[in-house]
Amino acid sequence: MTFPQFGRLYFVIVGHRDQPLFEFEALKHDDSTSSIPLQREDYRHLCQFVVHAALDAVEASLVGPQGSQMFFKNVDRFNEWSVSAFVTSSLIKFVLLHPVRDDSQSAMRKEESDIIRNFFYAVYEIYMKLALNPFYELDSEISSRGFREKLHQLVKKHLLNL
Amino acid sequence: MARTRLTPKEFLQECFPPRLLCLISEDAQEVCQKNNLDFIQLIRPFCRPTNDLISSDLTNRRFYMKNFYLHVCSLEQASPCNPNITRNLFNDHVTQCVENFDPHHSPQIDIALSDNTSVAVPATTPWYEVFRDDYIRFFPPYDYECIRDLLGCLFVVSTSIADPVGRAKALIEQQVQLQANQKNPRWLGPNILKYFVVLDDLSTSSPDTKVRGESALHYFTTTYGETNCCLLGINSGTGRNIDEAPFNPWENSMTYSTPSNDDMASAAVAETLPEVNGANEAEGMDHPLAITPHRTVTNGPDAEEKRVGMLLSQEDGRRIETFITDLVNKCLVPYAERQIKILNELIISKKGIHRTLVNATKKIFGPSGPPRPGAASSRSSTSSSSSSTNVSQVVYMTEAVEMHNRKAGDLSLILQLYDQALGFYQSARRDYSSDQAWNYYAAASEMCGLCVFLSPATAFSTVNAKAFPLQFFEAAIKSYSEYGPTKQQASQSLSVRSTFFATEVCKALGLFDEAAAFFKTHTEEFDLLSGLFLEQAGHCYLKSSPRKFSFQMIFAGYRYFKAAQKKLGILAYKQALKVFEGRQWSIAEDHIRMNIVRHSMLLRSYQEALPHFAFLLTGVRRQVASQQLLILKDFLTCRRSVQSSPDERVINLDIPLIKVQKIRTITAPANDSFLVESVDEEWLALEEKAVEAKGHAHPHFRHQQFVFSDKTDNRHSPMISAGEVLTVEIPLQNPLGLPVTVKAPRLTFQPGNLEETLVVEAVDDVTLAAEEETVLRFRLTVKETGMLKINGIEHVVYIQVENDTEEGPLCINARKSFEITGRRLNVSKADKAGIVYTPDRRLDIIVTEPRGKVVGNWENFPRGVLSGQVVRLGLTIDNQGGRSVNHLAILSSLPHVLIFFNAPKDGDILTLPLPNGSLEPRKKVSLSAVFVAPSAAGSYTIKCLLYFRSTPDGDKAPKYGIWRIQHDFQVLPGITLKGTIQPSLSPSQKEPENLITLQAAHVNEVQLQNISIKLIELLSTTPHWTISNLDETLPPDQKGTLISNGSLSYGEEAFLALLARQRYLVEGDSTTLSAFTIGPELDATDHNFIKAARTIAAFANEDGGRREQQDAIRLRLLWKVTLVTDGKTSNVFGIRSIALPIFTRSREGVEQAVVRSPPGGDNADGADQVRTVPDIAEILTKVPDDPFVSSIRLQSLTAAAGVDGATTQEAQYGVDIISWSVHLPEVEPSVNDEGFCVVSLTMELSCRLTTTHDSFEVSVDLRSGSRCFPVGARRHQVVLRPAESCPLAFQYCFTTAGTYNMAEFVLVKAMPVRQLQPSTVKLQRPANNQMLMRIL
């Protein structure tokens, strides 16, 4: 398979049965001019494959020495993609696919870790608000438009510099 | 990793057997061919001796060799193959293996998924083993290792010719030529092992041949040694002897050796031909594998038709076995041991010199400098081509000192002396490393790894797996891939072989993650290999990470597809799908299914593709429309191919999606809005009541049902009488992104007697846009009685193809049969334990004899009314049945809001009068009724049940019919009415008199904010009470100002004081009701309404009068609202009712009653089913009956206002602006004989402010208490300038002696005149909070 150079982000919330509850694909600004939208259909499934496969690594980290943490950076890696994850206390997993940074930019990597952590905590906050809604059943698909809009804002706020 | 046939140890041992070349004379070959076998085939089954084989190392320790295997090959087999051919061979073998693989009958392994479910995947991957074994078997020779070099040569001659020794000499000559001139095959050393076999054909044995054999053997014994020759007698069997048939070990080994599949062989040749260039033509084409197809085509199948080895007896077998054992034990092992010893001595002797030389050069030229050609005597530089590409290529001559270690190691390994081998390899490895001969280094490392694993001394197992030095393999793979032969040079990569070894070792040690890592390091261009490796990597993850397994399987499948291994690819994708299935990873799942479908279609295995279409086409819209079209086309192709008979053009298709469970059957011909689908308890109660009252009571009461849907109980069939119209509604949904047209839909029926007479209205073609939903409505009329069963629908689906001019629209004849599952039962224990569904009979229709059928609808029943509004309604009754209806009754859930004139009432059931006593079929009649809206605001649902009986006929049809009309309406607040009554106690009067005060308020602030309500008349509906207006007697200036024009604006209140006198009724005079008008001028409509109100009162009283006790005065306030819409005025009339109970005198005094009207009125018995809470405005205006409570409430209110004012007013003005006090009379008044006293009071209002120029509007509200009320106007308004003061006079009527605090009853509010905001109205506290007045 030839994989395009990913300049994009893919965020998904995964439920207890490994099913995606919410998916969000974000296009970075500088990519919007390129021909990526044309290729988009071609590898949307790849995002799902990568995230799904990374769930094993996420679960492995949960039982690992750092298992009490919520945020797991770079649990898995696939070609140009790195996978970071956040696991809520109800074992709902937030998984973010983001482009791998160059190893040389170690200072940037540190910063990147903070950016992603902040993003996850911000998402966690809106997710908790959603979970408090009596009409939302835990572990069910998130169809709230408000949630999507809020997430869009969070992506814009946190991840555009990633 | 997948399970394999061989254990890792067995596999690794088998990779490196001792190899011997076999040169056979033609005569010897002929002897063997009598059995349809060549010599190598003949001895192959015996090449794994079972006897004890013993080898000893340099220290003369003895080891038993296990799984020993001797590899004997012909000259052709010993030569390397053309890489293109091998590659095709691999492909073909794998294909063949996959063809024979049955996933359902192979061992399965369960993998546990995260949600405690598990899926089973095949545990074996035989194609991988086939490939691996082939890869090792046809591995080309490399300079970096000697382990696959030939140890020696077998020379086979026979006694059938005169001079076997001479022939043997010729063969020896041939071997010498081979070794001297040709590069291949490679030999371990110059001094090879020579072994002579003299075949003696016992079937043609004669003394002559015996002698020849003996002499030849004698010659070989004397020349080459006793152990190096053997006289082998074969063909001792008689051929046709049945007893010897079981002895046939060749059958199995035959197919193993040569490829015999015609197709693949010819394919191999065909594919090879264009690629063959000059360089490898000579080498490639004369190779046995290349010509195998021709050979097998000519004699292969025939030869196998004949029996193999028919002349060979068991005795022959034993002889061959002995021969092999002797060869190994007496010749090969001693030879190898001898060679090891020699090599070892050479190594020891040369070590010193060599080392010093190397070290000297290194010291001179520096350790990092490139290795110099000729630095050592035996070292030569590589050929110019390879040295230019890779500087570190070092090639040793075969006899180089550096190779001695390697050779000794290889020989030790062959003899299974692993520890010894490890020693040699490690020293070789060190040497190569210092020489930077990386390829040699890699080869030695690889062998080190193997020796460590195989060595019994180290004994690595899963227990100490972590300690295993995997770095040997890692180093090998790394060096191979960095310095190994480039792709053009190497057909098969050494690193791949290392990977095989490494992963086998990892598998044996249980290091699956490491194995996966080894597999994944390869990014080969060879797709098949890559696919296999990825698949194996997936299998490594199987236990620990099932999701990674599926990911790897996707990749493997992808590579398989690229390698044209479609079946294998589909297999891999299917494994991946098992993990993904049903988890809403829709895009990923679609991708997998699409690939499965596409490649299954290419393989023409339509049956396999078929189930996946359903998921692709009916799921959530995920593909673009054009893609869906392609899928659909594929589906049709697939479907047609699978279908048994090609003539059948009708397809059971789910496009558009027919929601079978939601089909509705309607046995009434009305439209949707009048149909009651959910028959709730209330309906059942009404129906039961009606049926009981009409005398049809039955122990098993079953209500009548018109709609049969997924919300109803469908255990009983719908019943319809002949001639009536039945409606079947079928909901459709288009799951595609393309518009779909459904043409000529028609229902299909189970064969019966009714289809001929059935009339079905044609249904138009329906076009559904993308994802649109619609309902197909079929209207059927049945003429005959019987049973009608609808079992499906047939239609033609047209799908317009865009951008495709050649083809017309896709046109599919589709049908869908209806199979409806009923409700799940949950009553009995069996139901709860299992899954039991009720039969659903909504499509099995019973047609009965004609009967009457009433369909009733309301005419102009409003959806929104004001409380108490009066509306004239029509009830249209339509007999749509086949017989006349002669009895009709109505029963309503809100019995008091509907008034039918001339309708006899029995309980709540009204029997409706029909004109001429009956209603003929197809006739319509309209009955008029009056609707009086309930007084409490809120949402209401009125359910009216029409009960009818038709002329008696037919025994099966029910004796009666019902019809349900449900109507929802909203009651908006309008007027509230409350009042008090107190008896007038003048002893002079004989008839009781009551003083009544009424308070009416306009409370609708939404709809009628700017519209006033006109009060028309006050009517006493209790005939024996007359009423008269007390206000009339007051002087004009004390009249309530608001009443003067008779209308109320929003927020206003009107007060009426009246006197009620009892009168004695003359019989039959009940209609003359006492009343007085309120408004000054009344128009014609008002007068009409006044009349109507009396009629309504009469009908309402008919039962009410009887029921009511004597001791209540019922009053009705008639009102009107004039609405102007679009220039037209319309009047809305209404009635507000109140009932005032009359109390008799008690011991202490007179009891009073305060009555509020809303829940009262003429619906005082609370029959109204108010769904929502009463209007909030009414709750707020509610005055508690207890005066004590009311005083507390008021006080707290004033106090709260004071606190509030303290912050705002004090900031503005300091204190309350107005100071006021009520001047109490000096003489305490007393209640007169008639039970009341009117006291004139004055109050003083003064403005405290002196500085501002604002003037204040002061309003004084006089409130009623429970035992006192103001007489005259209730509100006074004064404008006060700063520092001004004014008196105000008013009157209060007290009914009981006691102490009254006037501060409770008088409320003063002030508002600056200029200030526009109404929010600045402030409640003014009295100067004295205790203005107590005592009434005696």
Side-chain angles (χ1 to χ4, degrees):
Chain A
M1 285 185 198
T2 50
F3 304 111
Q5 294 289 311
F6 306 114
R8 17 183 321 127
L9 303 160
Y10 175 70
F11 173 77
V12 62
I13 298 178
V14 184
H16 296 159
R17 285 178 51 251
D18 283 359
Q19 79 282 29
L21 304 179
F22 178 85
E23 288 180 83
F24 189 88
E25 284 174 79
L27 202 68
K28 281 182 72 174
H29 268 299
D30 46 344
D31 291 332
S32 55
T33 50
S34 72
S35 59
I36 284 203
L38 291 175
Q39 304 168 346
R40 189 167 161 257
E41 290 294 321
D42 296 345
Y43 69 98
R44 274 171 76 198
H45 62 265
L46 194 67
C47 297
Q48 294 200 338
F49 283 139
V50 172
V51 167
H52 185 261
L55 291 178
D56 276 320
V58 176
E59 277 180 8
S61 338
L62 273 179
V63 294
Q66 309 277 304
S68 56
Q69 288 184 354
M70 296 180 113
F71 173 61
F72 303 99
K73 187 174 155 38
N74 296 340
V75 282
D76 202 0
R77 197 182 153 144
F78 178 77
N79 290 13
E80 323 268 312
W81 263 337
S82 186
V83 184
S84 295
F86 183 93
V87 184
T88 70
S89 23
S90 59
L91 293 179
I92 298 291
K93 304 178 191 89
F94 302 166
V95 187
L96 179 73
L97 235 64
H98 50 96
V100 175
R101 275 234 181 263
D102 209 344
D103 283 345
S104 57
Q105 301 162 295
S106 59
M108 288 292 283
R109 285 173 71 82
K110 174 86 184 100
E111 196 183 302
E112 183 194 58
S113 164
D114 287 342
I115 287 171
I116 295 172
R117 175 185 280 114
N118 290 343
F119 168 72
F120 274 141
Y121 275 100
V123 176
Y124 189 34
E125 203 154 296
I126 62 168
Y127 175 77
M128 278 193 290
K129 281 179 188 158
L130 178 85
L132 287 173
N133 184 341
F135 295 104
Y136 175 73
E137 201 180 314
L138 189 73
D139 202 24
S140 66
E141 198 182 334
I142 299 169
S143 51
S144 158
R145 201 182 306 149
F147 186 81
R148 187 167 285 279
E149 274 163 21
K150 272 186 230 157
L151 195 93
H152 191 91
Q153 284 162 10
L154 289 181
V155 168
K156 269 203 274 192
K157 186 178 163 196
H158 292 279
L159 299 181
L160 275 190
N161 297 326
L162 198 66
Chain B
M1 263 173 92
R3 282 181 221 158
T4 46
R5 188 172 48 86
L6 298 174
T7 63
K9 257 192 177 136
E10 284 167 355
F11 163 72
L12 292 174
Q13 281 177 345
E14 206 151 286
C15 284
F16 299 114
R19 283 157 197 269
L20 296 176
L21 185 71
C22 186
L23 291 176
I24 312 159
S25 66
E26 288 88 6
D27 47 287
Q29 201 68 279
E30 272 167 28
V31 171
C32 298
Q33 281 299 341
K34 287 183 180 172
N35 297 301
N36 291 320
L37 292 166
D38 64 16
F39 180 73
I40 295 169
Q41 287 168 345
L42 184 74
I43 62 167
R44 176 161 290 131
F46 306 96
C47 281
R48 294 171 193 276
T50 47
N51 313 40
D52 285 347
L53 301 173
I54 296 165
S55 62
S56 51
D57 66 359
L58 288 168
T59 55
N60 280 330
R61 272 189 303 167
R62 286 153 69 83
F63 294 91
Y64 284 101
M65 296 194 282
K66 290 166 201 152
N67 299 326
F68 188 82
Y69 161 58
L70 180 69
H71 184 85
V72 181
C73 54
S74 65
L75 184 58
E76 291 93 352
Q77 286 165 346
S79 321
C81 322
N82 181 335
N84 289 320
I85 295 176
T86 46
R87 213 165 253 214
N88 287 327
L89 187 82
F90 297 153
N91 253 322
D92 295 339
H93 277 185
V94 167
T95 312
Q96 201 182 346
C97 181
V98 175
E99 289 296 329
N100 298 331
F101 180 73
D102 180 7
H104 302 294
H105 293 99
S106 66
Q108 302 274 314
I109 185 165
D110 282 339
I111 49 176
L113 301 182
S114 60
D115 54 344
N116 297 328
T117 56
S118 70
V119 293
V121 297
T124 56
T125 48
W127 47 88
Y128 171 69
E129 284 169 76
V130 166
F131 179 86
R132 185 190 63 187
D133 295 347
D134 279 353
Y135 202 89
I136 302 287
R137 193 138 53 91
F138 299 112
F139 204 72
Y142 282 102
D143 293 338
Y144 320 121
E145 57 179 20
C146 325
I147 195 158
R148 289 177 307 123
D149 292 354
L150 295 168
L151 284 182
C153 188
L154 286 182
F155 300 98
V156 186
V157 290
S158 79
T159 54
S160 57
I161 54 163
D163 181 18
V165 177
R167 186 55 57 88
K169 278 179 181 158
L171 290 176
I172 293 167
E173 185 61 26
Q174 187 191 353
Q175 189 271 327
V176 170
Q177 289 291 328
L178 275 177
Q179 195 168 3
N181 301 335
Q182 287 195 14
K183 205 183 168 200
N184 290 315
R186 291 160 55 90
W187 303 86
L188 188 72
N191 191 14
I192 62 152
L193 171 82
K194 293 192 178 74
Y195 194 92
F196 298 90
V197 182
V198 183
L199 282 183
D200 188 11
D201 188 351
L202 296 178
S203 60
T204 57
S205 185
S206 65
D208 204 21
T209 56
K210 278 234 156 65
V211 171
R212 261 183 259 158
E214 290 296 328
S215 66
L217 192 67
H218 178 75
Y219 170 77
F220 294 130
T221 313
T222 49
T223 320
Y224 294 98
E226 204 179 325
T227 53
N228 285 26
C229 54
C230 162
L231 180 64
L232 186 61
I234 55 165
N235 295 356
S236 66
T238 50
R240 309 270 169 237
N241 199 335
I242 297 160
D243 303 346
E244 292 171 14
F247 179 70
N248 198 346
W250 295 277
E251 289 275 330
N252 296 329
S253 62
M254 277 301 288
T255 48
Y256 187 68
S257 61
T258 51
S260 58
N261 190 317
D262 299 353
D263 288 347
M264 67 138 202
S266 51
V269 172
E271 282 173 34
T272 315
L273 282 173
E275 291 172 13
V276 176
N277 50 31
N280 54 13
E281 194 171 4
E283 201 181 65
M285 288 311 287
D286 64 359
H287 189 270
L289 283 172
I291 52 169
T292 332
H294 309 294
R295 202 170 58 187
T296 38
V297 165
T298 50
N299 69 357
D302 296 338
E304 297 198 18
E305 284 287 310
K306 294 184 223 154
R307 264 182 61 209
V308 168
M310 51 276 193
L311 290 178
L312 295 171
S313 64
Q314 291 212 0
E315 205 178 319
D316 289 334
R318 273 193 293 278
R319 271 199 287 271
I320 297 169
E321 220 174 314
T322 322
F323 146 64
I324 296 286
T325 314
D326 285 352
L327 167 63
V328 173
N329 251 345
K330 293 184 182 156
C331 182
L332 181 67
V333 173
Y335 167 79
E337 283 169 359
R338 215 160 44 240
Q339 290 296 319
I340 295 169
K341 271 190 192 112
I342 296 165
L343 286 167
N344 191 36
E345 278 161 17
L346 280 172
I347 291 162
I348 292 164
S349 64
K350 286 190 181 174
K351 199 174 244 172
I353 313 160
H354 179 65
R355 276 284 152 79
T356 47
L357 262 174
V358 171
N359 287 347
T361 45
K362 279 197 179 160
K363 266 176 193 163
I364 295 162
F365 298 103
S368 60
R372 279 162 48 86
S377 59
S378 56
R379 233 162 90 182
S380 71
S381 75
T382 53
S383 65
S384 60
S385 64
S386 61
S387 68
S388 65
T389 54
N390 200 338
V391 285
S392 66
Q393 287 276 20
V394 178
V395 175
Y396 300 106
M397 300 295 280
T398 347
E399 296 308 310
V401 187
E402 286 83 354
M403 293 306 285
H404 288 168
N405 265 321
R406 170 78 210 198
K407 274 184 193 169
D410 287 345
L411 284 167
S412 308
L413 185 69
I414 285 167
L415 297 186
Q416 302 190 0
L417 305 167
Y418 299 115
D419 292 330
Q420 186 178 307
L422 181 62
F424 285 119
Y425 284 135
Q426 270 180 330
S427 69
R429 190 168 169 260
R430 274 194 298 275
D431 291 348
Y432 298 144
S433 166
S434 61
D435 282 358
Q436 296 183 325
W438 296 119
N439 284 317
Y440 291 89
Y441 169 79
S445 298
E446 186 182 348
M447 288 299 155
C448 285
L450 280 187
C451 290
V452 172
F453 172 66
L454 291 171
S455 163
T458 49
F460 275 107
S461 67
T462 47
V463 182
N464 52 0
K466 289 283 170 203
F468 186 84
L470 278 176
Q471 60 266 28
F472 282 131
F473 292 114
E474 282 159 11
I477 292 168
K478 189 163 177 282
S479 305
Y480 277 140
S481 43
E482 280 179 23
Y483 304 105
T486 48
K487 292 280 185 311
Q488 291 79 27
Q489 292 168 311
S491 59
Q492 282 161 276
S493 160
L494 282 157
S495 62
V496 171
R497 196 184 64 172
S498 285
T499 308
F500 281 132
F501 296 153
T503 50
E504 285 297 328
V505 170
C506 287
K507 178 180 154 189
L509 301 177
L511 302 169
F512 292 114
D513 281 351
E514 285 79 356
F518 275 121
F519 280 126
K520 279 164 79 178
T521 48
H522 281 274
T523 46
E524 285 286 319
E525 282 173 13
F526 186 15
D527 286 319
L528 176 62
L529 172 75
S530 212
L532 286 164
F533 272 10
L534 286 166
E535 187 183 18
Q536 289 304 310
H539 276 274
C540 290
Y541 288 127
L542 206 56
K543 283 285 178 195
S544 59
S545 346
R547 307 177 190 100
K548 277 198 172 145
F549 161 75
S550 71
F551 195 33
Q552 291 297 323
M553 292 309 261
I554 295 287
F555 282 125
Y558 178 77
R559 294 306 282 257
Y560 284 146
F561 288 140
K562 270 183 82 177
Q565 291 284 352
K566 293 201 180 60
K567 201 158 177 191
L568 207 48
I570 292 169
L571 212 59
Y573 266 66
K574 275 185 171 174
Q575 308 309 330
L577 183 62
K578 281 180 183 167
V579 179
F580 267 98
E581 205 162 18
R583 279 168 211 277
Q584 282 103 46
W585 293 95
S586 47
I587 299 165
E589 204 179 316
D590 276 4
H591 170 82
I592 298 173
R593 288 188 196 278
M594 293 269 275
N595 272 294
I596 294 177
V597 162
R598 194 188 308 145
H599 291 96
S600 303
M601 296 283 290
L602 289 174
L603 284 178
R604 302 187 179 281
S605 53
Y606 299 112
Q607 202 74 51
E608 198 158 328
L610 210 51
H612 297 286
F613 281 111
F615 290 93
L616 286 173
L617 285 174
T618 53
V620 190
R621 183 178 158 202
R622 290 173 297 240
Q623 303 104 0
V624 285
S626 56
Q627 208 175 356
Q628 286 183 337
L629 196 66
L630 287 176
I631 298 171
L632 197 64
K633 280 182 182 170
D634 277 352
F635 170 68
L636 292 178
T637 324
C638 196
R639 185 83 193 107
R640 276 182 207 126
S641 322
V642 166
Q643 211 129 43
S644 49
S645 62
D647 307 333
E648 201 188 333
R649 303 270 301 145
V650 180
I651 294 175
N652 205 341
L653 185 73
D654 253 340
I655 294 170
L657 207 62
I658 294 170
K659 297 177 175 169
V660 174
Q661 284 303 121
K662 302 228 170 202
I663 290 177
R664 298 209 308 170
T665 309
I666 301 157
T667 55
N671 66 25
D672 223 33
S673 56
F674 295 109
L675 281 169
V676 177
E677 188 170 333
S678 58
V679 177
D680 58 15
E681 289 294 322
E682 200 174 358
W683 277 119
L684 294 184
L686 282 178
E687 190 174 340
E688 213 164 344
K689 210 185 212 175
V691 170
E692 209 166 292
K694 298 291 180 185
H696 303 296
H698 194 270
H700 301 295
F701 164 73
R702 181 151 68 82
H703 67 89
Q704 294 190 3
Q705 196 177 335
F706 302 112
V707 183
F708 297 78
S709 70
D710 56 333
K711 298 190 188 82
T712 57
D713 180 1
N714 304 326
R715 276 175 294 181
H716 301 282
S717 292
M719 217 180 257
I720 193 164
S721 62
E724 285 179 27
V725 178
L726 174 81
T727 311
V728 178
E729 289 181 347
I730 298 170
L732 302 178
Q733 192 196 7
N734 179 9
L736 302 182
L738 305 157
V740 169
T741 307
V742 175
K743 290 199 175 182
R746 61 186 195 89
L747 292 173
T748 56
F749 305 93
Q750 234 177 52
N753 60 337
L754 296 177
E755 293 90 76
E756 294 82 28
T757 57
L758 189 71
V759 181
V760 185
E761 283 178 32
V763 178
D764 294 339
D765 300 348
V766 186
T767 301
L768 291 138
E771 293 179 67
E772 195 187 310
E773 292 185 34
T774 191
V775 173
L776 280 183
R777 205 167 269 122
F778 291 93
R779 289 163 65 80
L780 309 109
T781 317
V782 197
K783 298 278 163 70
E784 303 276 319
T785 61
M787 182 76 143
L788 185 71
K789 286 189 178 181
I790 301 167
N791 65 2
I793 184 171
E794 279 185 9
H795 54 98
V796 183
V797 179
Y798 276 82
I799 297 167
Q800 194 64 45
V801 184
E802 284 172 37
N803 310 325
D804 202 345
T805 44
E806 301 152 39
E807 299 177 49
L810 270 185
C811 169
I812 310 157
N813 292 328
R815 69 155 286 134
K816 173 89 187 167
S817 45
F818 298 151
E819 274 152 21
I820 305 179
T821 320
R823 289 186 176 184
R824 193 175 158 189
L825 291 174
N826 202 24
V827 182
S828 68
K829 199 182 169 189
D831 297 343
K832 283 174 181 163
I835 297 173
V836 185
Y837 296 99
T838 55
D840 198 302
R841 300 211 171 85
R842 73 180 91 150
L843 293 175
D844 307 344
I845 294 125
I846 297 171
V847 188
T848 61
E849 294 288 328
R851 61 191 157 133
K853 179 153 200 168
V854 162
V855 172
N857 292 329
W858 288 118
E859 271 172 18
N860 62 44
F861 201 138
R863 292 273 170 196
V865 286
L866 292 170
S867 65
Q869 187 179 332
V870 175
V871 183
R872 189 190 165 89
L873 300 177
L875 174 65
T876 54
I877 305 288
D878 185 4
N879 183 4
Q880 298 188 341
R883 290 190 195 274
S884 58
V885 168
N886 57 7
H887 180 86
L888 183 67
I890 190 167
L891 189 62
S892 156
S893 62
L894 300 174
H896 298 283
V897 302
L898 286 175
I899 296 161
F900 284 90
F901 302 111
N902 304 323
K905 202 165 187 177
D906 173 21
D908 285 336
I909 303 170
L910 286 163
T911 306
L912 297 180
L914 287 167
N916 307 328
S918 76
L919 189 60
E920 294 303 315
R922 312 282 159 213
K923 286 279 158 52
K924 228 182 227 186
V925 69
S926 185
L927 305 172
S928 61
V930 170
F931 167 67
V932 183
S935 44
S939 297
Y940 291 82
T941 298
I942 182 165
K943 294 171 177 174
C944 293
L945 185 92
L946 288 173
Y947 168 96
F948 60 89
R949 276 199 301 258
S950 49
T951 43
D953 193 41
D955 43 4
K956 274 207 165 181
K959 298 199 169 43
Y960 66 93
I962 58 154
W963 181 250
R964 299 185 184 91
I965 322 171
Q966 185 165 326
H967 186 83
D968 297 330
F969 60 90
Q970 190 83 25
V971 175
L972 309 168
I975 281 185
T976 57
L977 187 65
K978 55 188 177 180
T980 55
I981 181 164
Q982 49 209 289
S984 160
L985 294 173
S986 112
S988 58
Q989 249 131 356
K990 287 174 185 172
E991 292 115 25
E993 279 187 355
N994 281 286
L995 276 172
I996 296 170
T997 53
L998 290 177
Q999 183 184 5
H1002 179 322
V1003 291
N1004 189 327
E1005 62 172 321
V1006 183
Q1007 290 85 4
L1008 303 181
Q1009 197 179 18
N1010 300 317
I1011 298 166
S1012 57
I1013 298 176
K1014 186 181 180 189
L1015 305 180
I1016 301 170
E1017 194 194 41
L1018 192 69
L1019 175 72
S1020 161
T1021 57
T1022 332
H1024 49 271
W1025 285 96
T1026 58
I1027 49 170
S1028 58
N1029 195 355
L1030 272 184
D1031 262 6
E1032 300 284 337
T1033 59
L1034 286 174
D1037 61 317
Q1038 288 191 4
K1039 277 187 183 176
T1041 45
L1042 297 166
I1043 303 213
S1044 57
N1045 64 2
S1047 63
L1048 287 171
S1049 303
Y1050 167 62
E1052 282 181 338
E1053 291 177 339
F1055 298 93
L1056 289 167
L1058 40 116
L1059 189 69
R1061 281 201 188 85
Q1062 197 168 24
R1063 64 168 179 187
Y1064 296 101
L1065 286 171
V1066 186
E1067 275 296 315
D1069 195 24
S1070 63
T1071 46
T1072 33
L1073 298 174
S1074 164
F1076 62 87
T1077 55
I1078 301 164
E1081 63 264 338
L1082 298 176
D1083 55 23
T1085 56
D1086 296 345
H1087 285 295
N1088 278 343
F1089 182 57
I1090 289 171
K1091 269 188 225 161
R1094 281 171 172 68
T1095 324
I1096 292 166
F1099 278 99
N1101 271 358
E1102 208 166 83
D1103 63 327
R1106 254 172 268 132
R1107 240 176 350 146
E1108 281 161 16
Q1109 268 79 53
Q1110 291 281 315
D1111 53 357
I1113 302 177
R1114 293 169 178 269
L1115 298 175
R1116 290 189 168 193
L1117 180 64
L1118 277 53
W1119 53 264
K1120 176 175 95 167
V1121 174
T1122 308
L1123 300 170
V1124 182
T1125 43
D1126 304 333
K1128 281 188 214 161
T1129 56
S1130 57
N1131 291 324
V1132 170
F1133 293 96
I1135 294 173
R1136 194 73 214 198
S1137 306
I1138 189 167
L1140 300 159
I1142 302 156
F1143 294 99
T1144 47
R1145 182 189 272 270
S1146 67
R1147 239 189 312 158
E1148 289 94 48
V1150 177
E1151 284 290 328
Q1152 256 188 330
V1154 177
V1155 180
R1156 277 183 67 253
S1157 81
D1162 55 356
N1163 301 334
D1165 55 2
D1168 298 16
Q1169 290 282 329
V1170 183
R1171 283 193 171 176
T1172 56
V1173 289
D1175 191 55
I1176 197 80
E1178 290 187 350
I1179 293 174
L1180 289 178
T1181 53
K1182 185 176 178 180
V1183 177
D1185 292 343
D1186 192 344
F1188 188 61
V1189 174
S1190 83
S1191 74
I1192 287 173
R1193 194 172 70 97
L1194 282 171
Q1195 271 174 358
S1196 65
L1197 210 144
T1198 33
V1203 171
D1204 183 37
T1207 53
T1208 55
Q1209 284 182 334
E1210 276 171 4
Q1212 211 175 359
Y1213 304 115
V1215 284
D1216 281 353
I1217 308 146
I1218 306 297
S1219 85
W1220 60 273
S1221 64
V1222 177
H1223 296 295
L1224 303 172
E1226 280 148 25
V1227 182
E1228 292 177 342
S1230 56
V1231 179
N1232 61 16
D1233 293 343
E1234 295 177 4
F1236 68 93
C1237 83
V1238 178
V1239 183
S1240 296
L1241 296 163
T1242 51
M1243 68 183 290
E1244 188 75 22
L1245 295 159
S1246 60
C1247 184
R1248 284 182 181 174
L1249 295 175
T1250 49
T1251 49
T1252 59
H1253 301 288
D1254 291 345
S1255 52
F1256 295 93
E1257 192 178 291
V1258 181
S1259 63
V1260 178
D1261 284 331
L1262 305 177
R1263 303 199 147 230
S1264 329
S1266 55
R1267 289 164 191 188
C1268 66
F1269 55 88
V1271 181
R1274 305 233 164 181
R1275 174 177 281 188
H1276 301 267
Q1277 286 190 330
V1278 190
V1279 174
L1280 279 180
R1281 289 193 191 80
E1284 211 179 34
S1285 64
C1286 86
L1288 192 71
F1290 55 93
Q1291 282 186 322
Y1292 254 84
C1293 175
F1294 298 91
T1295 55
T1296 317
T1299 308
Y1300 297 83
N1301 183 5
M1302 292 314 291
E1304 286 176 21
F1305 302 118
V1306 181
L1307 286 177
V1308 180
K1309 293 175 194 165
M1311 183 175 71
V1313 171
R1314 285 188 200 159
Q1315 212 103 30
L1316 294 171
Q1317 293 93 326
S1319 61
T1320 52
V1321 174
K1322 294 292 174 197
L1323 196 69
Q1324 305 292 309
R1325 282 172 292 180
N1328 183 4
N1329 253 342
Q1330 298 287 319
M1331 287 182 272
L1332 299 175
M1333 187 167 72
R1334 195 171 156 78
I1335 307 287
L1336 296 171

